[in-house]
Amino acid sequence: MKNKNLISSADFVYRMITYNLRIIFANKFIWFLAGSVLFYLGLSVIYVFDNDVTRMSDLYGVFIFSGILLVFYPAVFGIQNDQDSRTIEILFGIPDYRYKVWLVRIVLIFLIAFIIMLGFTYLSSVLIVKFNIFTVSAQVMLPVLFLGMMSFMLSTTIRNGNGTAVVMIIFGLFFLILNDPLRRSMWNVFLNPFRPAYDVSETAWVIITLKNRIFLSVGSVLFLLAALYNLQKREKFM
Amino acid sequence: MMEMKDISDIIFSTGPGNIHRENQEKRITVTYNFRNEISGSKDLLDGARQQIESAVASMSIPSGLAVEVIHEKNQLKDFYYLIGIAFLLIYMILASVFESLATPVVLMFSIPLAALGSLIALILTGNSLLNANTLTGFLILIGIVVNNGIILIDYTNILRKRGNRRQRALMTAGVARLRPILITASTTVIAMVPLAMGKAEFVSVIGSSFAITVVGGLTLSTLLTLVFIPTFYSGLENSIGWFNSLGWRNKTVQIALFALLAFIIYTYINGFLWKMITTILSLIIIPAATWFVMNSLRKARETVIGGEESIKIRVQSLVKIYDRENRWAREWKGGARIRERLGLSHHFRSWSDLMDIAWQAPLLGFTVYFTYFYLRKGLWIFIFSIISWFFLLGIWNCFRELFSNLSGNGSHKLLKKISRWLDVAVFWLVPLVNLAWFQKRWDNIVVVLIIGFLWFTGMFIYWTGRKMSEENIDIYRLEGRFRNIRKTVYRIVAAVPLIGKKKKPFKALRCVSLDIGNGMFGLLGPNGAGKTTLMRIICGILEQSYGKVWINGIDTQLKREELQGLIGYLPQEFGTYENMSAHEYLHYMAMLKKITDPAVREERVTYVLQAVHMDEHRHEKIGSYSGGMKQRMGIAQILLHLPRILVVDEPTAGLDPRERIRFRNLLVELSRERVIIFSTHIIEDISSSCNQVAVLNKGMLRYLGKPIDMTREAEGHVWQFAMPAADFGAFVGENLVVHHMSEGENVRVRVISESSPWEGAVKVSPNLEDAYLWLLRKKENNHRITDTGNGKKQRNEE
């Protein structure tokens, strides 16, 4: 009996993942995936040929932007795609649609992004410079998670994929511009934990990095809750 | 005359310019600063302080000298202590007078507002923020600003004791106490203004910064008191009520979390002010976060209505208005309309009417002086010049109304011309003058151009939006030159929120009331009648504007998420995931509807595919299906897991007659144990399957009752006769012809009419279609449909 339940649950999870991937991977996502891979490969090659000494900390930026490209399309255009295909009204009729449909999809997106990130880091670790792929992947995924959840929340507020994309690009540029002035601040979204600021002691840097990671995690959770709250206001999506 | 060096030896040496003495002993002060990242962390700060102390301790100090290490030299520490005591004393007095622990918190909320006002005023006027002057002013301010809240809340409590509801008491107290609050505040402010306007920061002991603190704090606090204090009073009571309504487990967790946070704040946060701020923030954030999490994570519960209870849906006075204004705009305009109705609103029909706004003239003068002559900082000059411009626009609107009224009857043509020129000048030229003045002050053409571009773009969007609303411009039916460019511009303007084109509200449902029980309930009506709107409101897709929907006594507005487990909805227009096959799509839908067992799911999917005759196409992609097949897919997905309320919006559209009849029969069978709300254009579907039918037209309920009784509505109004074919053309344009058939030179017609439409016309028995057409043909009036108890509805005049 127990085995049967286990098999039944495994089948359920497997099918849920495959069906949602069919929905998420439809249409344009494959282009963003290709773009992310090309971006990673291109930048890595350029970096290797440009620099005499290769450091893992310099590859952090490459990983982050590849990760952002992976989550950008599904997080920003997920709601819009359902609106365009007119499935949104049917989904609203499903009890707890917010969790069963969109929470599952957003979690799946980040899981897929993490797996692909492990692939990228493994390649870099083997071909360029050796490092711990799990540590680096986990560290890279935090700002990606923050920006991805922010995009998702904005997509439920703006309810238009193109509008959300524009706003997220503006925010992204804003955070990028602040990267240097906030180089030793816990509020820096693009803080590189593997490259301490030159004018900060090691102890202080560890504390700053820890606070920064807490800020990114808490922010991600808040964005997710806000998005789930926005998804209750069904009329605005019609 | 002799030189000093001739009569003395001059020795040049260096020494301190000032010698400080304390208790007759010389003293020098050596200061040190930590870097930002050290100050940011308590651990690093403690470590650094210890290093300083050990460095000083290891120094060899000559005898006769004493060294003291002081970590936070704060000359103003005493003031914080005094402010803290003031807070405590005020709280004690207010708590004992109002006999409440919560009310003093509400009243003392004016103090942070006052602090904000003081801060803004000090920044605006370029004074330093923390010195003895400003803190003395703040000490005095604490006692003054709570007066406004006390006046308001005291009277509110009196009114509540007399039996008034909280909202009514607050509004009445606000209206009654506005005058004394404004008088007391303005006398204090005006008395302080001469000292505040002085240029010296210090005039003997106190100076302008003291007066600016009091003026700024009292002004902002008074203005915001009238809005924030009643809101906070009401909100705090709601919050405390909500907190008390929570279970003991929830309360314990929150209190424990607060205690933990308080411990963390005490241990890790340094600085008394930060400790206080973070403690207050924790006190607010923990319940707020609990509420947010509880609301974000509400789940559907099928058990919200017991399995044995039969479902009854009551729709009560439902109104739905699309594109109506938001709540704030509605309340504001509602107040304006009440004033208009009571004849209290200002209208400017003669020059003497301007006396009503005469008080604004000196205020405008002061604003202009303050903005263009007093302020120094660039940012505040910019902000206040915008404020002055809006103020000027407000005054000009009154003058424009006056000029328009004076020149309305054709007289004062010159006034009309002047009015148009002044309109252009105030709206377009004043901003230009402002920009020129910015350039003169700042000498930075780039910034001025950017500001100018943004300002004029905003003005252009507002002006175009207003023009589109007033002239009712239809973007898609433009004519004339540059059609395409104008269309693009109008589309962009219409998309801009707030200042773009105002949407016109449209009433889709007008006070619809009906009761729905078990069985098939048919909704009939032409396109745009409001059937889909009504169904969407029942399903919770849309929110009603007014009215209520009750399901077994449960208000759907309060328990919407929980009730979603009971309702299944098939919309009129829907899509599917076209890259999936029917098999995959239905499996996915079944999993979303909690059919977790794979065998049960497969059986269910097979059953529904057979029910809609799609079994042979199950592995083909949905994208390859025809319209009718996609419609059947929609029906299939709703049959997967049959909830207790099924709402289907024109499900038979696109189906061939055979499929339509099969589906109808299936629904009738299902309706034995559940409520099925079914909308259609096809009369036969209603007559052959529905227990009850409601006819909607233009948002109003025209008929509610049994289909068989509906035919009686048209009794005596259906006529049949033959007429010459030559006259038929003219006749059909003026009468409601149901159908006609040629019979040689004549045409046999069936007509719906109040009275005999043709000589020799014979009354015939109406059928359901005739009754439907008759109901739709009736003129709109304020008739209410009520249940007479015998299954028939009759109209009552209002």
Side-chain angles (χ1 to χ4, degrees):
Chain A
M1 189 69 179
K2 229 180 178 177
N3 279 342
K4 201 180 169 197
N5 282 342
L6 219 63
I7 293 168
S8 169
S9 305
D11 175 75
F12 185 90
V13 168
Y14 169 72
R15 282 185 188 261
M16 209 36 150
I17 292 172
T18 42
Y19 291 147
N20 274 300
L21 287 179
R22 294 286 297 275
I23 295 163
I24 298 165
F25 273 69
N27 300 332
K28 295 165 197 138
F29 177 70
I30 202 76
W31 300 108
F32 277 83
L33 179 61
S36 174
V37 170
L38 283 170
F39 182 87
Y40 162 72
L41 288 173
L43 275 188
S44 300
V45 165
I46 290 168
Y47 178 74
V48 164
F49 280 107
D50 258 357
N51 292 279
D52 295 326
V53 180
T54 355
R55 282 185 288 264
M56 179 269 288
S57 56
D58 298 328
L59 291 171
Y60 181 80
V62 174
F63 295 140
I64 277 203
F65 284 105
S66 307
I68 288 170
L69 274 175
L70 283 171
V71 304
F72 185 77
Y73 175 74
V76 167
F77 286 93
I79 303 278
Q80 170 92 54
N81 285 342
D82 281 321
Q83 283 176 306
D84 291 342
S85 62
R86 293 182 304 169
T87 49
I88 202 159
E89 210 171 344
I90 295 228
L91 293 177
F92 282 160
I94 294 168
D96 297 330
Y97 60 90
R98 297 177 297 153
Y99 314 113
K100 291 180 192 171
V101 177
W102 282 302
L103 181 62
V104 166
R105 284 185 200 170
I106 203 81
V107 166
L108 211 52
I109 287 162
F110 287 110
L111 269 171
I112 301 289
F114 180 64
I115 291 168
I116 296 173
M117 191 55 60
L118 280 173
F120 286 165
T121 48
Y122 176 72
L123 273 174
S124 297
S125 171
V126 162
L127 298 174
I128 303 176
V129 58
K130 202 162 171 56
F131 53 84
N132 186 325
I133 63 172
F134 290 103
T135 312
V136 172
S137 300
Q139 288 285 359
V140 165
M141 282 309 293
L142 277 167
V144 169
L145 187 72
F146 181 84
L147 291 169
M149 288 298 186
M150 189 179 177
S151 316
F152 182 51
M153 186 212 66
L154 282 174
S155 77
T156 60
T157 310
I158 299 173
R159 295 177 292 277
N160 178 282
N162 295 328
T164 309
V166 167
V167 171
M168 271 316 294
I169 287 169
I170 292 171
F171 270 115
L173 287 171
F174 177 67
F175 292 140
L176 209 56
I177 291 167
L178 287 179
N179 190 21
D180 193 53
L182 295 179
R183 67 181 177 282
R184 37 186 199 147
S185 165
M186 59 170 273
W187 304 109
N188 183 5
V189 174
F190 290 117
L191 189 91
N192 186 344
F194 305 107
R195 189 195 282 169
Y198 61 84
D199 50 353
V200 170
S201 67
E202 266 187 48
T203 332
W205 183 252
V206 167
I207 293 172
I208 290 168
T209 316
L210 180 66
K211 285 184 182 175
N212 174 262
R213 270 29 202 165
I214 292 171
F215 154 64
L216 291 176
S217 313
V218 170
S220 307
V221 170
L222 285 176
F223 286 144
L224 180 64
L225 286 175
L228 290 176
Y229 181 71
N230 284 341
L231 284 167
Q232 272 178 207
K233 302 173 198 166
R234 289 172 279 273
E235 181 165 354
K236 294 189 189 272
F237 291 88
M238 301 306 300
Chain B
M1 207 146 65
M2 298 173 82
E3 284 193 6
M4 197 70 161
K5 62 182 180 183
D6 296 332
I7 55 161
S8 63
D9 291 323
I10 298 171
I11 302 165
F12 292 97
S13 73
T14 55
N18 292 304
I19 296 174
H20 294 282
R21 283 195 165 80
E22 202 172 292
N23 297 328
Q24 295 184 341
E25 287 176 347
K26 287 184 194 173
R27 186 188 62 154
I28 57 168
T29 306
V30 177
T31 54
Y32 62 92
N33 283 319
F34 291 122
R35 287 207 301 228
N36 281 344
E37 80 249 23
I38 306 287
S39 321
S41 161
K42 196 164 191 285
D43 292 328
L44 293 173
L45 194 62
D46 285 340
R49 281 175 183 161
Q50 270 181 347
Q51 280 185 358
I52 300 275
E53 279 170 7
S54 51
V56 168
S58 62
M59 274 166 47
S60 54
I61 300 163
S63 61
L65 272 181
V67 179
E68 189 191 351
V69 178
I70 297 167
H71 288 303
E72 266 176 48
K73 180 84 175 116
N74 195 342
Q75 291 168 314
L76 307 169
K77 214 165 40 176
D78 291 337
F79 271 109
Y80 297 141
Y81 174 70
L82 290 171
I83 288 169
I85 293 287
F87 264 86
L88 194 62
L89 286 171
I90 292 172
Y91 184 86
M92 281 162 60
I93 295 168
L94 292 176
S96 51
V97 166
F98 284 95
E99 293 173 359
S100 159
L101 291 174
T103 310
V105 175
V106 174
L107 297 172
M108 290 168 78
F109 186 65
S110 331
I111 297 171
L113 299 177
L116 195 66
S118 305
L119 201 71
I120 293 172
L122 287 167
I123 292 171
L124 257 182
T125 48
N127 285 301
S128 54
L129 293 178
L130 286 176
N131 55 56
N133 243 316
T134 56
L135 287 169
T136 310
F138 191 65
L139 258 178
I140 289 167
L141 200 57
I142 292 173
I144 300 175
V145 294
V146 284
N147 292 346
N148 298 331
I150 291 168
I151 294 171
L152 195 59
I153 299 300
D154 183 55
Y155 192 46
T156 306
N157 287 342
I158 290 171
L159 289 171
R160 286 184 84 178
K161 281 193 186 124
R162 285 187 199 160
N164 288 284
R165 281 178 301 126
R166 188 177 67 206
Q167 304 296 89
R168 172 63 59 196
L170 280 168
M171 288 199 286
T172 313
V175 168
R177 287 295 185 252
L178 178 66
R179 230 173 91 97
I181 288 174
L182 286 179
I183 291 171
T184 49
S186 28
T187 45
T188 315
V189 165
I190 288 168
M192 286 283 183
V193 161
L195 182 59
M197 299 301 286
K199 292 293 179 188
E201 198 162 338
F202 288 91
V203 177
S204 71
V205 181
I206 59 168
S208 63
S209 50
F210 163 81
I212 287 166
T213 310
V214 176
V215 164
L218 192 54
T219 311
L220 192 71
S221 175
T222 305
L223 292 172
L224 295 182
T225 289
L226 299 165
V227 174
F228 276 115
I229 298 291
T231 315
F232 191 42
Y233 177 80
S234 193
L236 189 65
E237 225 175 271
N238 286 344
S239 306
I240 291 173
W242 170 80
F243 187 80
N244 286 335
S245 71
L246 293 174
W248 65 266
R249 223 172 287 174
N250 227 317
K251 279 188 211 165
T252 316
V253 166
Q254 287 185 68
I255 292 168
L257 257 173
F258 176 68
L260 180 69
L261 268 175
F263 173 72
I264 292 172
I265 289 166
Y266 180 74
T267 322
Y268 290 103
I269 308 278
N270 51 325
F272 174 71
L273 201 63
W274 278 115
K275 276 191 169 73
M276 210 170 64
I277 290 172
T278 41
T279 311
I280 293 171
L281 274 175
S282 320
L283 198 60
I284 297 167
I285 283 173
I286 289 170
T290 311
W291 178 89
F292 184 64
V293 167
M294 283 171 74
N295 268 285
S296 301
L297 303 178
R298 283 165 67 191
K299 290 188 64 148
R301 284 190 292 128
E302 279 172 23
T303 50
V304 73
I305 292 175
E308 299 306 313
E309 279 181 69
S310 62
I311 302 275
K312 281 192 181 10
I313 302 175
R314 161 159 272 196
V315 174
Q316 191 175 319
S317 307
L318 211 61
V319 176
K320 176 67 184 168
I321 305 170
Y322 288 113
D323 290 336
R324 67 172 181 167
E325 292 151 328
N326 61 38
R327 172 98 185 260
W328 196 91
R330 284 203 315 272
E331 297 285 342
W332 183 267
K333 287 186 181 169
R337 278 194 283 270
I338 291 171
R339 280 201 302 279
E340 185 83 43
R341 205 171 57 231
L342 295 173
L344 297 172
S345 54
H346 291 304
H347 284 291
F348 301 96
R349 294 192 183 95
S350 67
W351 289 100
S352 58
D353 290 334
L354 287 176
M355 287 308 290
D356 291 334
I357 58 158
W359 61 272
Q360 290 184 19
L363 194 59
L364 178 67
F366 174 76
T367 312
V368 167
Y369 163 74
F370 187 74
T371 311
Y372 298 102
F373 298 97
Y374 183 81
L375 287 176
R376 294 271 160 259
K377 290 252 174 74
L379 175 67
W380 295 109
I381 293 171
F382 168 64
I383 291 170
F384 271 83
S385 62
I386 305 243
I387 292 173
S388 313
W389 179 61
F390 274 115
F391 196 359
L392 182 66
L393 275 174
I395 294 177
W396 165 242
N397 281 337
C398 305
F399 275 89
R400 187 179 42 206
E401 192 190 328
L402 171 69
F403 291 170
S404 159
N405 284 327
L406 287 176
S407 58
N409 54 4
S411 59
H412 297 100
K413 285 189 184 135
L414 183 64
L415 209 57
K416 204 172 179 177
K417 264 193 202 152
I418 293 172
S419 175
R420 262 197 296 242
W421 283 113
L422 278 174
D423 208 24
V424 169
V426 170
F427 194 73
W428 297 104
L429 287 182
V430 167
L432 264 178
V433 166
N434 269 312
L435 288 172
W437 188 69
F438 291 157
Q439 170 59 14
K440 187 171 172 289
R441 283 295 288 263
W442 305 337
D443 197 24
N444 188 340
I445 191 70
V446 174
V447 170
V448 170
L449 281 175
I450 291 171
I451 290 172
F453 173 73
L454 290 170
W455 199 342
F456 275 83
T457 309
M459 280 159 52
F460 174 74
I461 291 171
Y462 172 74
W463 180 78
T464 313
R466 204 177 63 179
K467 183 180 170 194
M468 283 167 71
S469 295
E470 282 168 5
E471 295 173 21
N472 224 2
I473 295 173
D474 186 347
I475 301 173
Y476 300 101
R477 292 203 172 90
L478 288 174
E479 283 167 18
R481 281 182 295 181
F482 308 115
R483 222 178 8 251
N484 291 328
I485 297 172
R486 279 157 60 210
K487 184 175 166 185
T488 314
V489 167
Y490 286 146
R491 279 175 78 173
I492 293 169
V493 165
V496 174
L498 282 176
I499 53 173
K501 185 187 172 188
K502 290 184 212 345
K503 294 178 194 151
K504 283 204 168 58
F506 170 70
K507 211 180 229 179
L509 281 180
R510 295 163 189 266
C511 207
V512 170
S513 296
L514 35 91
D515 288 311
I516 306 171
N518 265 12
M520 285 275 280
F521 185 90
L523 267 180
L524 207 51
N527 293 330
K531 307 188 296 296
T532 303
T533 305
L534 177 63
M535 290 172 131
R536 279 177 172 170
I537 291 173
I538 292 171
C539 293
I541 310 284
L542 299 180
E543 272 284 328
Q544 62 266 43
S545 305
Y546 302 103
K548 287 282 185 195
V549 178
W550 309 89
I551 299 179
N552 283 32
I554 301 171
D555 184 355
T556 52
Q557 277 181 312
L558 295 177
K559 293 253 184 213
R560 176 43 75 186
E561 297 305 319
E562 289 81 352
L563 287 168
Q564 286 303 103
L566 288 170
I567 305 174
Y569 177 51
L570 178 65
Q572 187 177 1
E573 286 171 11
F574 62 90
T576 48
Y577 296 115
E578 305 219 329
N579 60 325
M580 293 172 100
S581 66
H583 175 88
E584 288 167 343
Y585 177 70
L586 288 173
H587 264 275
Y588 177 58
M589 283 292 154
M591 285 158 69
L592 291 179
K593 293 177 186 188
K594 291 208 284 193
I595 307 175
T596 49
D597 188 84
V600 171
R601 203 167 56 236
E602 180 62 33
E603 184 213 323
R604 201 74 207 140
V605 166
T606 307
Y607 165 74
V608 303
L609 280 171
Q610 284 168 352
V612 298
H613 299 94
M614 289 289 295
D615 202 24
E616 59 269 26
H617 303 287
R618 74 191 291 167
H619 294 294
E620 292 166 21
K621 294 261 189 285
I622 296 175
S624 64
Y625 290 172
S626 69
M629 290 163 87
K630 285 181 185 172
Q631 185 72 19
R632 281 189 266 164
M633 281 306 305
I635 294 164
Q637 66 91 19
I638 210 176
L639 295 177
L640 278 171
H641 167 68
L642 295 164
R644 297 178 66 190
I645 301 170
L646 211 55
V647 180
V648 282
D649 195 350
E650 298 193 30
T652 53
L655 296 180
D656 62 59
R658 200 176 50 176
E659 286 302 326
R660 214 180 75 228
I661 291 163
R662 273 201 203 115
F663 179 58
R664 214 169 60 201
N665 293 338
L666 183 60
L667 282 183
V668 170
E669 210 177 298
L670 293 171
S671 70
R672 279 198 210 117
E673 297 154 349
R674 48 183 57 79
V675 173
I676 298 184
I677 304 172
F678 169 75
S679 88
T680 182
H681 289 304
I682 302 166
I683 307 284
E684 285 155 31
D685 288 343
I686 299 288
S687 58
S688 51
S689 56
C690 292
N691 310 107
Q692 273 209 307
V693 65
V695 178
L696 289 175
N697 188 23
K698 290 183 184 162
M700 290 178 75
L701 189 64
R702 291 279 168 231
Y703 175 80
L704 177 63
K706 292 199 177 103
I708 192 77
D709 295 331
M710 196 169 123
T711 54
R712 291 191 202 120
E713 292 285 315
E715 201 79 46
H717 301 298
V718 185
W719 307 85
Q720 214 161 291
F721 55 92
M723 67 187 300
D727 297 330
F728 181 70
F731 181 82
V732 80
E734 289 167 15
N735 293 276
L736 181 56
V737 173
V738 181
H739 65 77
H740 65 279
M741 205 184 303
S742 293
E743 286 177 347
E745 285 178 2
N746 286 341
V747 176
R748 180 153 288 278
V749 290
R750 188 184 175 93
V751 171
I752 294 176
S753 174
E754 185 86 46
S755 54
S756 173
W758 199 260
E759 199 182 316
V762 169
K763 275 188 206 174
V764 292
S765 299
N767 56 31
L768 204 61
E769 193 181 44
D770 298 327
Y772 173 62
L773 290 170
W774 172 247
L775 283 167
L776 295 189
R777 188 190 154 78
K778 274 185 184 154
K779 288 201 181 90
E780 279 177 48
N781 48 35
N782 289 332
H783 290 160
R784 217 176 4 189
I785 310 283
T786 54
D787 190 349
T788 53
N790 56 4
K792 189 184 168 178
K793 305 295 168 185
Q794 72 179 30
R795 285 182 322 218
N796 292 328
E797 299 282 352
E798 275 200 352

